[in-house]
Amino acid sequence: MSGIVNTAQAEAWNGYEGRHWAEHDERYDAVNGGFNEFLFDAAGIGERDRVLDIGCGNGQVTRLAATRAPLGGATGIDLSAPMLATARARADAEGVANVVFEQGDVQVFPFGDGVFDVVLSRFAVTFFADPVAAFANVHRALRPGGKLAFLCMTALAGTDLGAVFGALAPFLPTPTGEDGTGPTAFADPARVRSVLSGAGFADVACERVEADQVWGSDVPDAAGFIADWGPVKYHLGQVGTEAANSAREALSVALKSFEGPGGVRLRGAAWLVTAES
């Protein structure tokens, strides 16, 4: 693996967080996969394109990109060894041969100049140690006129997930941190435009999109899954037993209104961001 500057994230994604995502890849894809078509429609991948998926995780987006570029290929890069192992296993099982997975830090990885036609990411661009430097490195890796398309979280306020996490607020800190930090670091389109423009990108656009996110087959299943998600699990372990039990009960109550025949579905919201090199 090449040099790492984002050491805190490398530790997390090679520890419990990464293992949990790797062991539950189909569940996380059920949460986020509803946004895939927005991403691919925006990217407009051609059959000969060379595609880079940054923060590829378990590799669903990378594999789907590869199938859209049968005469080209796709490369996925991530910090997490556990998730990359899952990504490679899934690609082998699905017979996707034109795909490569690399372990590395996007901010400093030696991609080369102009080696990709399209860069994608699904909810994995908000954890860079230095976002401008990271996207500048991505910009160098894109050919002139290449396309960047990624999804990132909106602010939680007014969303279904915001309502669920709000129910935890009397007992736990917000698992994602305050809006504008962590997973919601790009919740403000003005910041997105500033970062990408500073990194050399042009024609930056942000479009709000929505999709259903399936969190579990029923309330106990969804509540258990969310409680085991890294940030929630961490905060549950930092409070007393009474507060933790109250938080779990509040989580189940909040999820009840989203339960239906198809499981527990929350309407998710994201920014679909596009730009050109």
Side-chain angles (χ1 to χ4, degrees), residues 46-140:
E47 64 177 7
R48 297 183 181 276
D49 280 346
R50 302 157 299 167
V51 184
L52 174 65
D53 179 14
I54 56 179
C56 67
N58 294 310
Q60 185 190 54
V61 168
T62 322
R63 301 192 305 273
L64 292 172
T67 64
R68 285 163 169 76
L71 303 181
T75 298
I77 183 168
D78 203 284
L79 290 167
S80 176
M83 284 197 285
L84 289 169
T86 297
R88 295 183 183 108
R90 292 292 187 189
D92 288 344
E94 295 170 10
V96 183
N98 60 333
V99 66
V100 175
F101 292 102
E102 299 278 5
Q103 186 178 14
D105 187 331
V106 170
Q107 185 172 321
V108 294
F109 193 85
F111 295 111
D113 294 340
V115 296
F116 296 105
D117 303 292
V118 179
V119 174
L120 300 173
S121 183
R122 188 182 72 185
F123 300 114
V125 297
T126 58
F127 299 103
F128 296 131
D130 183 335
V132 175
F135 277 109
N137 195 35
V138 170
H139 184 268
R140 286 190 291 272

Side-chain angles (χ1 to χ4, degrees), residues 156-157 159-175 250-251 254:
L156 289 176
T159 67
D160 289 353
L161 188 60
V164 170
F165 284 166
L168 297 175
F171 315 104
L172 301 177
T174 302
L251 176 61

